Amino acid sequence: MLENPSPNAIPSGAPDQLRLALREQDVILETAGVGIVFIKQRTVIRCNQRFAQIYGHAEASDMLGRTSVSLYPDTESFYSLGKSAFTVMTQGLTYKSEVLMRRIDGSLFWSHLTGKLVNPADTAEGSIWIIDDIHEEKKAQERLQASLAEQNLILDNAMVGIVFLHDRHLTRSNGQFESMLGYAPGELKGFSSRAWYLSEQEWLDAGTRCYAPMAAGKTFEDEMVLRKKDGSPVHCAVNAKAIDPHDLSKGSIWIVLDVNARKKAELALEDARDSLEKLVESRTQELSRTVAELEQRAIEQKAAEAKIQQLAHFDPLTGLPNRLLLKDRCVQALSLADRGQRSVALMFIDLDHFKNINDSLGHHVGDEVLVQLAQRLKANVRDQDTVARFGGDEFILLLPNADMLGAAHVADKLLQSAMKPLHIGQHDLTVTPSIGIAIYPKDGADLDTLYKCADAAMYRAKEEGRNSYRFFTSELQAVSDRTLMLDNALRRALERDQLTLQYQPQIDIKTNRVIGAEALLRWHHPELGPVSPAEFIPIAESNGHILSIGEWVVRTAVNQLALWLKGGMQALTMSVNLSAIQFRHAELPELVSRILSDAGLPPELLELELTEGVAMNNPQKAIAVMDDLHQRGVRLSIDDFGTGYSSLSYLKRFKVYKLKIDQTFVRYITTDPDDKAIVGAIISLASSMGMQTIAEGVETEGQLEFLRSEGCDEVQGYYFSRPLTPSAFESFVSGRCGQSDTSQT
């Protein structure tokens, strides 16, 4: 019937019943919500109005005679559909599919096709097709899937626990929540929320407290002690909200944050307050004992002030006494102490990272910092004490009649005072001091000696974390003597062939293959024996020999890798640490390229490691040097990541491809939740920024498994091997070549 071009083509002699059936057929075709077409010999014989509209025609008659090939995006699409469709339809079956079609204006659209042959035994009799325009539905489905994918990505990578509850049973949660409570992925699905409360009553109380705000459309906020899988408690900050406040049966969403670390900090703060109160009480008693001396000290102070009104005795920036006046005050204080058999404390104060303020904010801001800090120092000492500026960011405090207890009390006060922000223009700055303390007469009998002792103690405070104070000790004297001896010996160590390199293997955590080596500098003195790099490298940096030693290290490591590769060893990367002085040297990029060229080694096989402090000391200059090295093909990595003060705004601009997780975080990752969280965050951060991660100091299988589960890329440590001589490293690599990629060491 579909071959009739129109109702008017019905034979005049046809029975009334037939004519009625044909008219009914026409009505159905023209009112159908889908397109219907009869195709014969790849030509449109007849179609309804909806079919024409779908393809962009105003009338069905416009479609008649069109080739069916023109309905498809291209000839290839037409033949591909025909091949798959007629395989089904010649069996008398109906063919159904979703296909891209082409409108008259050339635009493509998605359609749902249903086709069937008029006579399966003879395809020449044509076929009938039903088409439905599903383009908008298809696009809406794609947008929905994209939105769901984005939501899942956010959920899976959130740094807080996220839980969906229905009837107080978990229907879904992210990995952070499961990890926080010690459960495996998916293990909590279907569990009652009772599982992560310490008791039945706490679970009931939580439900009672949360329903009222959630029913009012508000967020329920609280701090709770939840229960891990192993039964241990964990302090959490909790936010919850109903999916539909008008129908709480639809469930709720809970955001959970581990605040154990904050709780520990709060307890530590309470302890610090108690200690401060005790120190205040001690100071009060000390002041009571010195009241009798105040009148005499006031007379002496007036006499001293009369002598030092000249500008030469005061620092022009801060108004504090200068070196000359301090020397006079010290002579007086030591003389009085000698007659009265009393002690005197001398404090050397140096500001931590003060250079960063001058470099980033300008010297005018740095000067104002010094002025305000000088005022705070004066406000925290007695009238008889002297606060002097020695230049730069160095201050000296002279405390007459002060023993070690009194000096420690003053140092604590100064550290507390320095922690308060300094308001300078639009900046709120915090500058921490490192303090060294020497006591007369134990540590020296004059200003120069006491100054040197306090200076040595101050450097010990910096080495042990900064923002603290240390007293001068006999140990520091021994260290000072040894430093001088090592300084002299180190000047000849390189030319006397006392320096060597050892190589620690770096392992691909997925394949268990050796993929790199870290070159580690060693010094064996013929009389002193092995000297730790932690001891002699700072000396080399201070005496300027680090440049020649550093060049020797890079050249030796590069030449060694070239020898290994020529000997048939598999391709490896060679990691070499750079000191701050090396990195800041203007000729570093040219030097590295020259060394690689001399050895004939591809630049991508050399990896230069920088610490966070080196990179962040002058970020803009660091970026320029990194860009230069990167353009030369040399790889860069950040060593000891997480121990410094990285800025993400700069990190994303650094041309680095790898972050090294410091061994201080790796050491306790199997037992310390904070270290687990830090390591997981570093790996996640690196992955999100397209960087690799390598963990150092891996010593146990448990550490290795945790790093593998978190997605760390590479590892090194005693679990695999200690640093090796070149020949021992060759044997190690050769011995592992026969192992399976998935085998364990």
Side-chain angles (χ1 to χ4, degrees):
M1 294 181 182
L2 284 173
E3 289 183 315
N4 296 331
S6 68
N8 297 329
I10 300 172
S12 59
D16 292 342
Q17 186 176 3
L18 176 59
R19 294 172 63 84
L20 177 61
L22 291 174
R23 284 196 298 271
E24 290 175 350
Q25 175 185 281
D26 288 333
V27 172
I28 292 173
L29 290 175
E30 295 310 314
T31 59
V34 294
I36 304 174
V37 64
F38 174 59
I39 304 293
K40 187 174 183 180
Q41 296 181 354
R42 301 179 183 174
T43 303
V44 176
I45 303 302
R46 185 181 178 192
C47 67
N48 66 350
Q49 184 68 18
R50 177 55 182 156
F51 183 83
Q53 291 173 350
I54 289 175
Y55 282 91
H57 290 278
E59 300 294 337
S61 59
D62 296 338
M63 296 291 293
L64 300 183
R66 283 193 62 182
T67 172
S68 56
V69 178
S70 66
L71 307 179
Y72 293 83
D74 49 50
T75 304
E76 183 180 352
S77 301
F78 170 76
Y79 282 111
S80 176
L81 177 77
K83 183 177 180 180
S84 58
F86 277 86
T87 301
V88 176
M89 295 163 63
T90 53
Q91 302 177 42
L93 303 175
T94 300
Y95 175 77
K96 296 182 178 181
S97 181
E98 291 184 358
V99 184
L100 267 176
M101 304 295 279
R102 183 164 62 89
R103 306 187 201 274
I104 189 174
D105 60 5
S107 61
L108 303 182
F109 68 97
W110 281 101
S111 66
H112 184 276
L113 283 183
T114 303
K116 194 167 186 181
L117 288 172
V118 174
N119 182 1
D122 184 5
T123 59
E125 294 185 19
S127 57
I128 299 174
W129 296 82
I130 298 175
I131 181 169
D132 192 7
D133 186 345
I134 61 169
H135 191 73
E136 292 304 321
E137 297 176 18
K138 196 81 172 179
K139 291 300 181 182
Q141 184 68 22
E142 291 176 357
R143 290 193 293 271
L144 176 59
Q145 292 300 324
S147 177
L148 291 175
E150 290 176 358
Q151 292 179 9
N152 288 334
L153 186 62
I154 293 171
L155 182 67
D156 293 339
N157 290 278
M159 299 303 292
V160 296
I162 303 175
V163 184
F164 293 81
L165 294 182
H166 185 270
D167 194 22
R168 301 198 80 179
H169 282 70
L170 186 146
T171 59
R172 187 180 181 190
S173 67
N174 66 348
Q176 179 66 19
F177 181 75
E178 295 165 335
S179 174
M180 186 188 307
L181 298 186
Y183 288 91
E187 187 177 355
L188 280 171
K189 188 172 183 179
F191 270 43
S192 167
S193 57
R194 170 65 183 88
W196 53 80
Y197 284 87
L198 294 175
S199 68
E200 182 80 13
Q201 189 58 49
E202 291 185 19
W203 179 60
L204 294 174
D205 291 344
T208 301
R209 295 197 310 274
C210 74
Y211 285 140
M214 287 199 299
K218 299 179 180 179
T219 299
F220 169 68
E221 300 179 7
D222 199 0
E223 285 195 4
M224 299 179 177
V225 180
L226 301 184
R227 178 185 181 276
K228 292 187 177 182
K229 183 179 180 180
D230 61 7
S232 60
V234 55
H235 289 269
C236 296
V238 175
N239 287 4
K241 198 165 186 179
I243 294 176
D244 183 355
H246 304 295
D247 185 1
L248 297 183
S249 66
K250 292 183 179 179
S252 56
I253 300 175
W254 295 68
I255 309 297
V256 184
L257 176 64
D258 184 343
V259 295
N260 260 351
R262 192 190 75 194
K263 286 294 184 182
K264 291 179 181 178
E266 290 174 351
L267 292 175
L269 180 59
E270 292 179 3
D271 292 341
R273 288 173 178 168
D274 292 341
S275 299
L276 182 60
E277 290 177 357
K278 293 178 181 178
L279 288 173
V280 170
E281 182 180 355
S282 173
R283 181 62 171 164
T284 301
Q285 294 174 357
E286 181 184 350
L287 291 174
S288 297
R289 292 193 299 268
T290 60
V291 169
E293 301 173 1
L294 288 179
E295 183 176 355
Q296 180 63 30
R297 293 299 302 157
I299 296 173
E300 294 173 354
Q301 186 68 26
K302 285 183 178 181
E305 289 176 354
K307 297 178 182 179
I308 61 173
Q309 291 305 312
Q310 302 175 22
L311 184 61
H313 291 82
F314 292 89
D315 172 54
L317 176 64
T318 62
L320 295 177
N322 61 12
R323 186 187 300 261
L324 181 60
L325 181 54
L326 175 68
K327 186 173 183 179
D328 290 341
R329 293 273 184 91
C330 189
V331 170
Q332 295 180 32
L334 298 184
S335 177
L336 289 173
D338 183 59
R339 291 198 298 269
Q341 294 186 343
R342 295 179 179 272
S343 58
V344 176
L346 185 82
M347 288 187 179
F348 188 109
I349 300 177
D350 184 88
L351 304 185
D352 301 328
H353 306 299
F354 179 74
K355 183 177 181 296
N356 293 341
I357 295 178
N358 282 333
D359 291 346
S360 60
L361 301 179
H363 286 276
H364 64 287
V365 175
D367 288 346
E368 184 60 27
V369 168
L370 295 175
V371 170
Q372 292 193 24
L373 189 65
Q375 294 172 352
R376 290 190 183 182
L377 294 176
K378 291 179 63 177
N380 281 279
V381 298
R382 304 166 299 182
D383 291 339
Q384 63 264 38
D385 299 332
T386 298
V387 180
R389 183 186 178 210
F390 257 39
D393 59 333
E394 298 177 352
F395 296 87
I396 300 294
L397 271 65
L398 181 68
L399 310 178
N401 300 328
D403 55 12
M404 292 183 67
L405 180 62
H409 176 64
V410 173
D412 279 328
K413 287 177 63 179
L414 297 179
L415 292 174
Q416 291 291 331
S417 176
M419 288 300 295
K420 299 176 182 178
L422 299 167
H423 305 291
I424 301 175
Q426 298 178 346
H427 306 288
D428 288 336
L429 304 175
T430 299
V431 181
T432 60
S434 293
I435 304 174
I437 306 173
I439 303 295
Y440 169 86
K442 179 175 69 71
D443 299 327
D446 55 56
L447 174 61
D448 289 340
T449 305
L450 291 173
Y451 171 83
K452 291 178 182 178
C453 294
D455 181 53
M458 182 275 295
Y459 275 103
R460 173 59 62 89
K462 284 188 177 294
E463 292 171 356
E464 296 182 358
R466 305 177 188 270
N467 192 26
S468 60
Y469 65 88
R470 294 292 183 272
F471 285 92
F472 181 78
T473 63
S474 58
E475 176 192 358
L476 285 179
Q477 183 64 56
V479 169
S480 179
D481 294 341
R482 178 173 171 83
T483 298
L484 179 60
M485 178 175 57
L486 291 178
D487 189 347
N488 293 327
L490 189 59
R491 297 175 187 271
R492 308 295 297 274
L494 189 58
E495 65 184 58
R496 293 177 177 176
D497 294 325
Q498 295 174 359
L499 300 180
T500 59
L501 292 184
Q502 292 188 349
Y503 303 89
Q504 186 168 41
Q506 296 176 328
I507 311 297
D508 186 306
I509 203 168
K510 293 181 180 178
T511 66
N512 210 33
R513 291 177 56 251
V514 179
I515 46 83
E518 181 179 10
L520 300 171
L521 181 60
R522 298 292 183 261
W523 179 21
H524 192 281
H525 190 275
E527 298 175 0
L528 302 176
V531 184
S532 169
E535 185 176 17
F536 72 79
I537 287 180
I539 297 175
E541 290 179 332
S542 65
N543 65 21
H545 284 282
I546 192 64
L547 290 177
S548 58
I549 293 175
E551 179 180 349
W552 177 87
V553 170
V554 176
R555 189 177 298 277
T556 303
V558 166
N559 290 338
Q560 181 61 66
L561 180 56
L563 286 175
W564 281 336
L565 297 180
K566 290 178 182 177
M569 185 180 291
Q570 64 191 39
L572 303 174
T573 59
M574 178 63 72
S575 298
V576 180
N577 289 280
L578 290 183
S579 73
I581 296 176
Q582 282 179 277
F583 185 68
R584 290 195 294 266
H585 197 274
E587 297 179 4
L588 173 66
E590 289 81 4
L591 174 64
V592 171
S593 291
R594 188 164 60 252
I595 291 174
L596 289 168
S597 177
D598 292 344
L601 190 72
E604 64 270 15
L605 297 184
L606 176 61
E607 176 185 324
L608 299 179
E609 296 187 6
L610 314 171
T611 63
E612 286 183 271
V614 171
M616 292 303 300
N617 184 48
N618 188 338
Q620 295 298 339
K621 184 175 181 180
I623 290 171
V625 176
M626 289 181 181
D627 286 345
D628 194 346
L629 289 168
H630 179 73
Q631 291 173 4
R632 297 169 187 265
V634 178
R635 292 184 173 184
L636 297 164
S637 64
I638 297 296
D639 191 14
D640 301 336
F641 187 79
T643 62
Y645 45 89
S646 292
S647 167
L648 294 182
S649 64
Y650 283 115
L651 182 60
K652 68 180 182 180
R653 297 172 59 191
F654 289 162
K655 297 294 187 183
V656 298
Y657 90 109
K658 185 188 296 181
L659 300 182
K660 176 173 279 191
I661 304 170
D662 188 70
Q663 60 184 337
T664 56
F665 301 129
V666 175
R667 185 174 296 120
Y668 301 112
I669 54 174
T670 58
T671 57
D672 190 326
D674 292 337
D675 284 349
K676 288 183 178 181
I678 291 171
V679 171
I682 293 174
I683 295 172
S684 177
L685 170 66
S687 177
S688 67
M689 299 182 73
M691 299 179 185
Q692 300 284 307
T693 49
I694 180 170
E696 63 179 359
V698 177
E699 298 182 357
T700 68
E701 184 175 359
Q703 294 168 348
L704 178 63
E705 290 305 316
F706 176 82
L707 293 167
R708 178 180 285 117
S709 67
E710 290 295 311
C712 185
D713 299 296
E714 302 169 16
V715 289
Q716 67 182 89
Y718 287 178
Y719 181 74
F720 298 96
S721 172
R722 293 175 177 271
L724 304 171
T725 63
S727 60
F729 185 89
E730 286 186 66
S731 300
F732 179 85
V733 174
S734 176
R736 293 183 69 86
C737 286
Q739 298 182 14
S740 168
D741 285 348
T742 59
S743 63
Q744 297 296 315
T745 299

